[in-house]
């Protein structure tokens, strides 16, 4: 084999090794998730507004609650992936209560649609049979903060016809200190439950 060709092959293998984090992953998104699992990353401290209308910094909301939080991103007019995640969160909510895990983990659905008002989020929460002590809904009123938060979580939102959105989706484990520590694909309830089971307990009462 000519030396030049051998050098090209070696460089190619080296590049693939680096991109796939030692051949452990095959996409940049998988590499990002693996990196986050190994080294949790801080998320932006944005102002969120809950379905109740109350506003609070996300960092303060995480600290004051004291539990780990599983975050997903939705919009209330979504009839596709958001509905799937809603159903999975409903089941997870039941499991948390049935197994005494609701004191360790809570659920937070954040809308990326600027049209979603607190009133709309409250109606959506009722339609999902969300129990507010376990599953809350919020929005980020400021557009720049909203985009910064989506970027930090790796969520891409593209406007579609008829006022809808194309977007990716996942579940994100966030510590009370505001660190993104794990990402699990939706449609994997067993993996999500395993993530809940290994979450640390609270270090104080709520």
């Amino acid at each position: 084999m000519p030396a030049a060709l051998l050098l090209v092959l070696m460089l190619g293998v080296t590049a693939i090794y680096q991109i796939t984090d030692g051949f452990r992953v095959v996409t940049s998104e998988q590499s990002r998730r693996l990196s986050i699992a190994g080294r949790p990353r801080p998320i932006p401290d944005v102002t969120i507004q809950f379905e109740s209308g109350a506003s609070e910094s996300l960092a303060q909301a995480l600290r004051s609650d004291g539990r780990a939080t599983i975050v997903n991103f939705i919009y209330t007019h979504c009839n596709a992936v958001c509905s799937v995640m809603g159903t999975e969160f409903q089941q997870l909510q039941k499991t948390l209560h049935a197994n005494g895990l609701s004191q360790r983990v809570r659920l937070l659905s954040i809308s990326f649609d600027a049209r979603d008002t607190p009133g709309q989020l409250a109606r959506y929460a009722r339609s999902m049979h969300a129990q507010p002590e376990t599953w809350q809904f919020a929005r980020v009123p400021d557009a720049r903060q909203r985009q910064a938060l989506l970027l930090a979580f790796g969520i891409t939102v593209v406007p579609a016809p008829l006022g809808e959105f194309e977007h990716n989706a996942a579940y994100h484990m966030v510590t009370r200190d505001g660190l993104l520590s794990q990402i699990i694909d939706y449609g994997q309830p067993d993996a999500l439950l395993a993530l809940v089971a290994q979450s640390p307990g609270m270090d104080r009462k709520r």
Side-chain angles (χ1 to χ4, degrees):
M1 179 181 293
L5 180 57
L6 180 59
L7 177 61
V8 170
L9 288 175
M10 291 178 62
L11 290 174
V13 170
T14 300
I16 293 172
Y17 182 90
Q18 293 173 341
I19 293 172
T20 61
D21 201 355
F23 300 116
R24 289 187 291 173
V25 293
V26 295
T27 69
S28 58
E29 175 59 16
Q30 288 174 317
S31 181
R32 187 181 77 92
R33 294 184 182 192
L34 190 61
S35 175
I36 288 171
R39 182 176 295 178
R41 301 178 183 179
I43 58 175
D45 185 19
V46 303
T47 298
I48 59 174
Q49 185 177 35
F50 292 101
E51 71 268 33
S52 65
S55 295
E56 190 175 16
S57 78
L58 180 55
Q60 178 60 30
L62 293 169
R63 283 195 302 268
S64 62
D65 184 89
R67 294 173 286 183
T69 303
I70 299 178
V71 177
N72 71 341
F73 290 86
I74 56 107
Y75 69 105
T76 61
H77 291 93
C78 178
N79 294 313
V81 62
C82 300
S83 297
V84 176
M85 289 194 294
T87 298
E88 291 183 344
F89 258 18
Q90 285 176 339
Q91 295 301 316
L92 183 57
Q93 179 179 242
K94 292 179 181 178
T95 301
L96 291 176
H97 286 280
N99 293 280
L101 294 171
S102 60
Q103 291 297 306
R104 295 171 57 186
V105 179
R106 69 164 172 170
L107 314 177
L108 177 61
S109 295
I110 301 178
S111 172
F112 51 73
D113 188 347
R115 299 168 299 181
D116 278 336
T117 64
Q120 287 171 308
L121 291 174
R123 287 190 291 274
Y124 190 74
R126 288 193 294 270
S127 73
M128 292 287 105
H129 306 289
Q131 300 179 35
E133 70 277 8
T134 303
W135 184 6
Q136 293 180 297
F137 292 76
R139 67 183 193 130
V140 183
D142 184 85
R144 289 186 178 180
Q145 291 187 0
R146 186 165 58 248
Q147 289 304 315
L149 191 65
L150 292 173
L151 179 63
F153 279 89
I155 299 297
T156 301
V157 178
V158 179
L162 304 178
E164 299 177 334
F165 296 96
E166 297 289 342
H167 64 100
N168 60 325
Y171 300 114
H172 311 81
M173 180 67 82
V174 179
T175 70
R176 61 167 296 183
D177 298 319
L179 298 177
L180 174 59
S181 62
Q182 292 279 351
I183 302 176
I184 299 292
D185 284 327
Y186 77 97
Q188 297 184 15
D190 291 341
L192 188 58
L193 286 174
L195 183 62
V196 169
Q198 70 184 22
S199 66
M202 288 172 38
D203 55 11
R204 64 175 182 79
K205 294 291 186 180
R206 290 181 64 198

